[in-house]
Amino acid sequence: MNNAASFLALGDSYTIGEAVPENERWPELLKLLLVEKGITLQPIDIIAKTGWTTGELLQAIEERALSGKYTYASLLIGVNNQYRKYDINSYTEEFERLLNIAIAHCSDTNNVIVLSIPDWGATPFAEGKDRTIIGKEIDVYNAINKAITEKYGIHYVDVTEISRMALMDESLVAEDKLHPSGKMYALWAMNVFQKIFNG
């Protein structure tokens, strides 16, 4: 196991897989795909919590005092900034800081992955809300995180369009009517896997 790869996953509810079993989180499903590729992975180091914004993730990382390098690193954050109507400029600055942390703690920048923010407006939870406005705000956040990601030459995986499929297929949503189901997370994991090896 000493030669096993390591994986740092930074984020919020979408990274810890709120409302699904641990083995249906997208990082765990990615781990299975890596195993099929012959890559043994250590237990995934997840720093994520439901409800976290970029600022709260930064604080948690600081408290953890991360050290060393990981084989893979991922970052998915921002939906709670949008939901709470936080200042978009703060998101821009804090997201870039978080991306630099992911880069600094990954042994190969080609193994750093940023995922776009899903559109929770496509879920049953958003019933009665203005889905169009939610979607447009999510797009603004994603335009920012994508531009920053590409500036650093890091892989960017768009899972937003997959999340919007939930409008037509509720099996892609967990029982809480808000978060992705294991079925959707499997689609995310496959996209991330393909980006790592074919991107």
Side-chain angles (χ1 to χ4, degrees), residues 81-189:
N81 293 67
Q82 179 272 332
Y83 185 77
R84 298 187 202 175
K85 308 294 183 185
Y86 279 11
D87 178 30
I88 196 77
N89 294 317
S90 294
Y91 175 75
T92 304
E93 185 266 329
E94 290 171 350
F95 177 84
E96 187 160 10
R97 285 173 59 192
L98 286 164
L99 180 57
N100 275 298
I101 289 170
I103 293 169
H105 289 283
C106 192
S107 57
D108 183 351
T109 55
N110 202 45
N111 288 340
V112 179
I113 298 283
V114 170
L115 284 72
S116 67
I117 303 167
D119 185 355
W120 64 273
T123 68
F125 179 83
E127 186 71 37
K129 298 179 173 62
D130 193 323
R131 298 179 190 273
T132 301
I133 289 177
I134 295 168
K136 286 181 177 178
E137 290 180 354
I138 294 292
D139 286 344
V140 169
Y141 273 82
N142 282 331
I144 290 169
N145 60 42
K146 183 177 183 180
I148 293 171
T149 301
E150 291 181 343
K151 181 176 78 170
Y152 287 89
I154 299 302
H155 290 307
Y156 188 83
V157 178
D158 182 353
V159 299
T160 311
E161 291 310 308
I162 295 174
S163 73
R164 287 173 173 155
M165 292 165 55
L167 272 174
M168 298 163 286
D169 184 359
E170 285 197 22
S171 70
L172 295 172
V173 183
E175 290 184 1
D176 69 354
K177 304 297 183 182
L178 173 60
H179 292 93
S181 66
K183 182 178 177 180
M184 185 187 292
Y185 281 136
L187 296 174
W188 293 14

Side-chain angles (χ1 to χ4, degrees), residues 51-67:
W52 273 358
T53 60
T54 46
E56 288 162 328
L57 178 55
L58 279 167
Q59 183 178 350
I61 292 171
E62 186 176 327
E63 290 171 357
R64 270 284 302 273
L66 279 175
S67 63

Side-chain angles (χ1 to χ4, degrees), residues 18-30:
E18 179 73 20
V20 300
E22 183 176 330
N23 64 351
E24 292 184 8
R25 297 169 172 172
W26 78 259
E28 293 293 338
L29 295 171
L30 174 62

